[in-house]
């Protein structure tokens, strides 16, 4: 408890205008409770990191947010900058992307490997183009309005290809890209849906240090553009600590810490979760910390 | 009540045959994830082999005991059909293993066309009737001139099916071969790394499936007393339906599915209309799959994101 | 086949190959011995008797042994050597040639298709051209159209539909029933048949399209069978297995009729000699245009969001959903469109035959259409057309094997080997080219350069 108390002493800017509010979410698979009574906020314009040891339930949380699972209990409230609100737990998965504007990437990359990079990015703009093609009918007749819309979509795709450094390979199949580039393309594809919230499932997994640094730049870039907030699952602490504004820590499906990177880094429960310390020892460390803080602040 | 009992007996008999064929579908699907469309025609060929040898034994060699002849015929049919399926797997499916998923399916459809047309060319297009064998019946219940009976043939089919399924179950559950099969089902690459001879295991799976189909073929021939080169398709599709209904990949599921399809068919013909019995079987398949896609005893497919 | 590479691969001894060949011979003897050697026939008393044909068995076994020996000692080693040898990279000339070939193939083929009946009439006269326009031209084009229609479902959207013939049947019976009962014209009923088939597609598709993989295949197969069985048993409407006959012919847009007795008969009006060739040639151009309509719509759709969504669906359904694509609707449009073209083809079929019966709509028919799509290379229009020509034209050509009677004697009927060879060809083509004739995928849009995508990257869908 003390860790939560200590973090409440510092300002928590992400509570002011959260893009996503997760409230008391529980996800149960048969007898297994993968996520229990989880609540946290994702601040608008922030980069929020969701971390925790393997099997902590991070991807399950993502799947609840993006509609691939329906949480057993709880509420997921998404609020657009324009003020529209969506209850994600009540929406089917494709509508969460189409209407609530939540985009995601996958832990084991899911690209359309037999389609070119450009095609991948155009598929991401499906709904807009579908409207422009008059639900296909105008498109089949070859109306110029669709041609114009397609040109715009190609421009959007080009913009994101540039951002991710993939322009030179635009006409190659996605399956031919090296691993790191595939990760970047997946982010570009998600961005082409024009999301309010971008959920990245271990974007730095398998990247070398240079690629990891490029990823940081890309994510900071996206944040700077201001429209998209980012929620990411990550194991690479250098990514988490360098770029995130807010970190939520899960262990065994329960939130054990929530705060700024430096707060979380020093939270004894997080240290215990990552280093595997007994509960008793955690209490001991907490007591010591309490004594220290009491001693420090008269 | 008599009608009910009679349809129950007929349904179980028919279902036993479907179940035996269904095992071949379900095993092959379990181990290499392929729908072996030629399996129904393998069954048909086995019935022809049984017919030829039965004729050879009774008319040419003069074997007088029908039971002895049937047992010998069944064993020969099992061996030769196993050989046939082994050869088919070698020639038509193995070169396609690990390639494009639809290629083995098309190859199997081609093989199904080859088998039925080969039999048509080699043995002629006409029905092949056998003189009736084991024609006695036992009356179980009689009222208002309607008797529920069970024939010796039906008893034979039940007994043979039960014995063979027990033996088969033993092989799959308790022997190294069965263990190798289950290992290949889970992860073929890993099984190979651990020293399982994957090619041989798959070959043996085809042989076992064919042997059971040959049992079904022999029983089918004894039951109906006639066989035709086009007899592979409908029982084949029904047995496949049975395999899917029971949960494809599950052996008890295949038997259960077979019995259910047999019962649905006979009860529908008994109580409603004989015309629509196949429509009933297929509709129930569609309904079960729509509401319970993993079948009755299959493992639910988890959508991994 | 694989064992040959492991046990007696390229450098394997002759003795090993001989042992292998003998083994193959034993297997062949086991299989063909009883089935070919012991022929069962009914005698005058309707009893089965056995006649033996050991000579024939010896020939077959001999062929298997020799073939197997040749394969292991000569053919496979040569193939392996070819594969191992580094292929020199294609020269600029070769690349340009291939590009030219690809560019010119479709237009040339199209021109040929348009002048084909004229060529046939020119060389063989009106009567002589009948067979080539009807049995070959029209028959093949029907399957090209069916292949292209199913290609939308199987090739683009990656949904394996084994009951496609159901929609063909819906189209055929819609025309047959509405034309015979209400005397409506083909030109009104053609779109109606398409719409009816599409509606059936949506009706059947809606519950089943959330099924994955082989389940979808088996449920579509079941629906195909159900429709055929209903056609057989719903005698009041469909006249059962006897079918519906004297279905009216198609008119030349209502201007000319092809009925011999009609006053506006085409030949009479123009003062030509009576011949059924005019009607056949008219039908040829009609089905050609219908097939081209299918091709045109498909090619257009591929470049539209809905077409890209189909292909994306084939590649990865979950990713599609994460991008906001309503996968159910997307699948349904593919299913409905495929069904609609099947319906068009069906009503044409009914009009051409003048007779429909459930016999024409068996599972085998669906299997042949699926085989055409897969053999052609999923998604490739040209590939599908080539596969239809090879499979349907090939089997029609087998009907022309009467000269074999001179070789094997009068009792030999080459026609009965037709389907046997058809099946063998299906197996062999799959082994030879598992991804079909044209397997590379053409991208729908490009930034700087259009590059074909290797088939190894293109997924086949799991539906």
């Amino acid at each position: 408890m003390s860790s939560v108390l200590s973090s409440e002493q510092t300002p928590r800017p992400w509570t002011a205008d959260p893009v996503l509010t997760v409230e008391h979410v529980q996800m149960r698979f048969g007898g297994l409770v993968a996520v229990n009574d989880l609540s946290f906020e994702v601040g608008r314009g922030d980069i929020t990191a969701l971390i925790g040891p393997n099997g902590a339930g991070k991807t399950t949380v993502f799947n609840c947010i993006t509609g691939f699972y329906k949480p057993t209990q709880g509420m997921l409230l998404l609020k657009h900058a324009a003020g529209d609100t969506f209850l994600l737990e009540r929406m089917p998965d494709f509508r969460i992307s189409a209407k609530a504007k939540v985009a995601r990437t996958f832990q084991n990359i899911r690209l359309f490997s037999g389609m070119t990079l450009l095609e991948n990015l155009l598929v991401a703009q499906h709904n807009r183009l579908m409207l422009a093609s008059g639900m296909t009918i105008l498109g089949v007749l070859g109306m110029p309005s669709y041609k114009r819309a397609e040109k715009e979509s190609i421009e959007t795709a080009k913009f994101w290809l540039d951002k991710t450094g993939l322009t030179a390979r635009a006409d190659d199949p996605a399956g031919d890209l090296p691993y790191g580039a595939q990760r970047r393309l997946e982010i570009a594809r998600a961005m082409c849906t024009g999301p309010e919230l971008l959920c990245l499932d271990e974007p730095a997994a398998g990247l070398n240090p240079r690629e990891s640094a490029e990823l940081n730049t890309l994510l900071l870039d996206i944040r700077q553009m201001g429209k998209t907030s980012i929620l990411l699952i990550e194991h690479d602490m250098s990514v988490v600590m360098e770029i995130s504004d807010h970190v939520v820590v899960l262990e065994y499906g329960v939130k054990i810490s929530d705060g700024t990177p430096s707060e979380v880094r020093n939270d004894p429960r997080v240290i215990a979760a990552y280093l595997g310390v007994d509960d008793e020892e955690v209490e001991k460390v907490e007591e010591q910390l309490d004594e220290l803080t009491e001693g420090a602040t008269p | 009540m008599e009608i009910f009992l009679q349809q129950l007996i007929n349904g179980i008999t028919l279902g036993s045959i479907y179940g035996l064929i269904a095992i071949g579908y379900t095993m092959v699907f379990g181990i290499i994830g392929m729908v072996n469309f030629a399996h129904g025609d393998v069954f048909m060929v086995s019935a022809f082999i049984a017919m030829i040898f039965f004729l050879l034994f009774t008319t040419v060699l003069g074997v007088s005991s029908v039971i002895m002849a049937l047992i010998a015929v069944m064993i020969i049919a099992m061996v030769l059909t196993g050989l046939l399926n082994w050869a088919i797997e070698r020639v038509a499916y193995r070169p396609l293993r690990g390639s494009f998923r639809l290629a083995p399916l098309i190859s199997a459809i081609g093989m199904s066309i080859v088998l039925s047309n080969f039999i048509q060319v080699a043995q002629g297009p006409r029905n092949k009737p056998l003189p009736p064998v084991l024609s006695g019946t036992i009356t179980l219940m009689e009222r208002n001139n309607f008797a529920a009976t069970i024939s010796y043939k039906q008893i034979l089919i039940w007994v043979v099916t039960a014995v063979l399924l027990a033996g088969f179950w033993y092989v799959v559950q308790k022997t190294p071969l069965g263990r190798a099969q289950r290992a290949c089902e889970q992860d073929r690459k890993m099984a190979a790394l651990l020293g399982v001879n994957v090619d041989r295991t798959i070959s043996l799976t085809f042989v076992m499936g064919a042997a059971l189909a040959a049992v079904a073929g022999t029983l089918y021939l004894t039951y109906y007393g006639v066989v035709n080169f086009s007899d592979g398709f409908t029982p084949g599709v029904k047995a496949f339906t049975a395999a899917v209904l029971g949960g494809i990949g599950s052996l008890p599921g295949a038997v259960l599915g077979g019995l259910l399809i047999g019962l649905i068919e006979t009860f529908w013909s008994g109580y409603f209309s004989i015309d629509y019995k196949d429509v009933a079987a297929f509709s129930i398949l569609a309904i079960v799959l729509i509401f319970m896609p993993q079948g009755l005893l299959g493992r639910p497919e988890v959508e991994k994101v | 086949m694989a064992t040959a590479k492991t046990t007696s691969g390229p450098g394997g001894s002759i003795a090993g190959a001989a042992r292998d060949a003998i083994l193959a011979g034993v297997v062949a003897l086991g299989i063909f011995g009883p089935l070919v050697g012991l022929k069962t026939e009914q005698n005058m008393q309707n009893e089965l008797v056995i006649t033996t044909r050991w000579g024939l068995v010896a020939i077959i076994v001999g062929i298997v042994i020799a073939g197997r020996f040749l394969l292991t000692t000569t053919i496979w080693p040569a193939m392996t050597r070819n594969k191992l040898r580094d292929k020199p990279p294609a020269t600029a000339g070769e690349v340009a040639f291939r590009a030219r070939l690809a560019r010119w193939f479709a237009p040339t083929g199209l021109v040929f298709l348009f002048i084909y009946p004229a060529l046939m009439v020119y060389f063989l006269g009106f009567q002589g051209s009948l067979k080539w326009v009807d049995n070959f031209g029209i028959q093949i084009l029907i399957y090209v159209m069916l292949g292209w229609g199913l290609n939308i479902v199987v090739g683009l959207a990656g949904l394996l539909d084994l009951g496609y013939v159901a929609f063909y049947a819906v189209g055929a019976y819609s025309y047959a029933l509405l034309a015979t009962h209400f005397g409506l014209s083909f030109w009104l009923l053609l779109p109606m048949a398409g719409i009816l088939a599409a509606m059936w597609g949506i009706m059947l598709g809606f519950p089943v399209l959330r099924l994955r993989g082989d389940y979808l295949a088996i449920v579509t197969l079941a629906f195909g069978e159900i429709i055929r069985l209903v056609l057989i048993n719903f005698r009041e409407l469909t006249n059962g297995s006897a079918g519906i006959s004297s279905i009216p012919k198609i008119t030349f847009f209502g201007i000319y009729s092809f009925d011999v007795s009609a006053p506006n008969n085409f030949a009479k009006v123009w003062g030509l000699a009576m011949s059924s060739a005019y009607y056949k040639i008219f039908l040829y151009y009609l089905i050609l245009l219908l097939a081209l309509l299918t091709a045109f719509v498909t090619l257009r759709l591929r470049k539209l969001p809905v077409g890209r969504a189909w292909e994306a669906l084939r590649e990865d359904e979950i990713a599609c959903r994460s991008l906001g694509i309503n996968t159910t609707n997307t699948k349904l449009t593919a299913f409905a469109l495929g069904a609609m073209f099947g319906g068009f083809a069906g009503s044409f079929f009914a009009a051409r035959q003048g007779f429909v019966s459930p016999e024409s709509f068996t599972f085998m028919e669906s299997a042949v259409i699926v085989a055409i799509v897969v053999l052609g290379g999923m998604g490739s229009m040209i590939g599908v057309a080539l596969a239809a020509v090879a499979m349907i034209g090939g089997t029609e050509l087998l009907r022309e094997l009467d000269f074999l009677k001179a070789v094997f004697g009068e009792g030999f009927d080459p026609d009965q080997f037709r389907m046997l060879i058809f099946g063998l060809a299906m197996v062999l083509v799959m082994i030879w080219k598992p991804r079909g004739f044209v397997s590379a995928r053409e991208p729908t849009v490009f930034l700087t350069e259009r590059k074909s995508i290797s088939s190894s990257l293109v997924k086949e869908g799991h539906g």
Side-chain angles (χ1 to χ4, degrees), chain C residues 131-426:
Chain C
K131 182 175 80 186
W132 295 96
V133 172
D134 193 14
N135 293 2
F136 284 84
I138 297 179
Q139 185 75 1
I140 292 173
L141 283 172
I142 289 181
Y143 280 91
V144 169
M145 179 167 179
L146 287 171
W148 281 346
L150 185 61
N151 182 41
I152 296 174
V153 184
V154 179
L156 294 182
L159 306 165
L160 182 54
D161 179 358
L162 289 179
Y164 190 59
V165 79
F167 307 121
Y168 189 41
V170 168
Y173 271 84
S174 312
Y175 177 64
L177 289 171
L178 294 173
T180 46
H181 286 295
F182 303 107
L184 296 177
S185 130
F186 176 80
W187 301 104
L188 182 67
L189 289 177
L190 178 73
M192 233 158 108
I195 290 167
L196 277 173
M199 272 165 53
W200 273 93
I202 291 171
M203 245 163 63
L204 298 186
F206 199 72
V208 305
L209 282 176
R210 51 196 197 94
L211 294 175
R212 287 152 50 89
D214 299 86
Y215 296 130
L216 178 68
I218 190 67
V219 173
T220 50
L221 187 157
F223 277 138
E225 283 296 292
I226 289 174
I227 289 204
R228 185 176 66 90
L229 292 164
V230 169
L231 289 179
I232 292 177
N233 291 311
F234 195 0
R235 291 185 201 89
E236 298 78 8
L237 182 69
T238 64
N239 199 23
S241 316
I244 301 168
S245 48
S246 37
I247 299 168
K249 285 182 173 175
I250 306 174
T251 61
F252 190 86
F253 305 103
I255 306 170
Y256 305 118
S257 160
F258 292 97
D259 266 326
V260 185
S261 52
N264 60 343
N265 178 286
F266 181 80
K268 270 188 213 158
V269 172
W270 291 91
L272 299 167
M274 280 293 178
S275 164
S276 55
Y278 312 127
Y279 185 53
K280 297 298 180 198
I281 291 171
F282 166 68
L283 285 182
Y284 174 89
Y285 282 110
L286 177 58
I287 185 69
L288 179 60
L289 289 177
L290 283 174
L292 289 179
L293 174 76
T294 315
F296 171 78
V297 172
T298 311
L299 287 175
R300 260 284 158 84
L301 289 177
R302 259 200 88 207
K303 293 189 188 335
L304 286 174
V306 68
R308 283 197 201 108
W310 288 338
E311 293 201 73
L313 199 64
R314 179 188 68 200
E315 297 281 325
D316 193 323
E317 182 175 345
I318 288 177
C320 277
R321 299 210 310 252
S322 85
L323 296 173
I325 296 175
N326 184 340
T327 49
T328 313
N329 285 356
T330 309
K331 285 178 184 178
L332 269 182
T333 48
F335 220 60
L337 266 171
M340 185 180 82
F341 289 120
F344 288 157
S347 60
F348 174 84
F349 171 80
R352 173 223 185 189
Q353 302 288 95
F355 168 74
V356 287
S357 82
E359 271 296 284
S360 310
F361 308 105
T362 58
F363 166 70
M364 223 56 249
E365 215 54 33
S366 292
V368 167
I369 305 168
V370 171
I372 285 173
V373 174
V374 176
L375 291 176
M378 305 221 316
S380 159
M381 308 295 283
I382 298 224
V384 169
L386 286 177
V389 171
M391 296 306 279
I392 305 303
T395 46
E396 288 297 321
L397 268 183
L398 290 175
R399 287 190 204 274
E400 312 291 315
L401 292 179
D402 274 354
F403 67 89
L404 285 177
K405 279 190 179 161
V407 186
F408 293 102
E410 264 314 294
F412 183 81
D413 178 13
D415 201 43
Q416 60 178 346
F417 288 95
R418 207 166 60 87
M419 287 311 283
L420 185 61
I421 294 171
F422 179 80
L424 277 177
M426 258 166 95

Side-chain angles (χ1 to χ4, degrees), chain B residues 93-115:
Chain B
Y93 309 150
R94 191 175 293 179
L96 295 171
R97 196 177 302 152
S99 89
F100 189 51
R101 193 179 60 92
L102 287 179
L105 180 79
I106 301 300
S107 189
I109 292 174
M111 212 62 223
S112 148
I113 300 176
V114 168
L115 286 176

